[in-house]
Amino acid sequence: FAEVHATRIRASAEAVAAAIDAVTAGEIRGFRLLTWIRNPRLPGSRQPPSILAPPADRPILAVALAAGFSVLSRVAGEIVIGTLVIAPTGKAPQPPPAPGVDAFAALTAPGYAKAAMNFRWTEEDGGWVRLSTSTRIVATSPGARRRFAAYWRVIRPGSAFLRRTWLAAIRKRAAAAERFSR
């Protein structure tokens, strides 16, 4: 299972990288609404911050990393994060895999679905940066694949919308930072 989205930003690579780290759920159009639909809670109720219950003012990447995602790789021009999205039936979800792509790839026991998401940015001519994000999910067994496929059919349109609006929020923040630094 996979999806890829991209945009171009008139900003420096440094401004784009900083915006990826700093953008909040409140800046991503529809993020809090769609995650609330996926994980409804009563108004005023308390829930620990997570990717499905993000505070509006905290960087969304930091929220994800504090709530079950791990950095799989961070190199110049790319960050990759990952998490387990399905655990074997009847088992409690495992803690997130150890940081690093090798540990994440090593989990091959049946019954799991692993998700990885990246942001990749490359400088282009004329002061532009191309920013893309891809989300990939791999299941470790046919049963996990069937379970995730049913879930994916329901969430994929919202996921695609959120990825595009996340890119738009990064673009807006990076472009503003670039204008401010001139």
Side-chain angles (χ1 to χ4, degrees):
F1 305 91
E3 64 177 295
V4 178
H5 305 279
T7 191
R8 291 179 73 219
I9 304 170
R10 189 149 182 84
S12 67
E14 294 78 19
V16 171
I20 290 167
D21 286 329
V23 77
T24 65
E27 293 172 85
I28 303 169
R29 189 169 46 101
F31 195 96
R32 290 173 43 93
L33 173 63
L34 286 175
T35 56
W36 182 86
I37 290 168
R38 164 61 179 82
N39 184 38
R41 36 213 181 272
L42 295 173
S45 65
R46 292 276 196 171
Q47 191 171 24
S50 73
I51 199 73
L52 293 177
D57 59 347
R58 257 182 82 202
I60 194 64
L61 199 55
V63 171
L65 293 173
F69 283 78
S70 296
V71 174
L72 302 178
S73 174
R74 186 162 199 148
V75 296
E78 183 177 35
I79 181 170
V80 182
I81 62 173
T83 193
L84 301 176
V85 290
I86 288 185
T89 305
K91 283 192 176 182
Q94 286 190 340
V101 71
D102 294 337
F104 193 70
L107 176 61
T108 59
Y112 292 93
K114 305 181 288 185
M117 182 182 105
N118 81 337
F119 287 102
R120 178 177 289 168
W121 56 100
T122 54
E123 291 183 284
E124 296 182 340
D125 292 337
W128 290 90
V129 171
R130 177 177 168 71
L131 174 64
S132 65
T133 181
S134 78
T135 303
R136 296 183 192 109
I137 298 91
V138 65
T140 59
S141 66
R145 182 175 173 73
R146 283 189 301 276
R147 286 178 58 209
F148 187 78
Y151 176 69
W152 188 244
R153 277 191 293 278
V154 173
I155 65 126
R156 186 170 186 201
S159 176
F161 174 79
L162 289 180
R163 295 299 178 270
R164 288 190 303 271
T165 58
W166 196 335
L167 289 174
I170 293 167
R171 182 178 59 239
K172 182 177 179 181
R173 183 181 270 265
E178 196 71 17
R179 283 191 304 275
F180 182 73
S181 69
R182 289 183 192 161

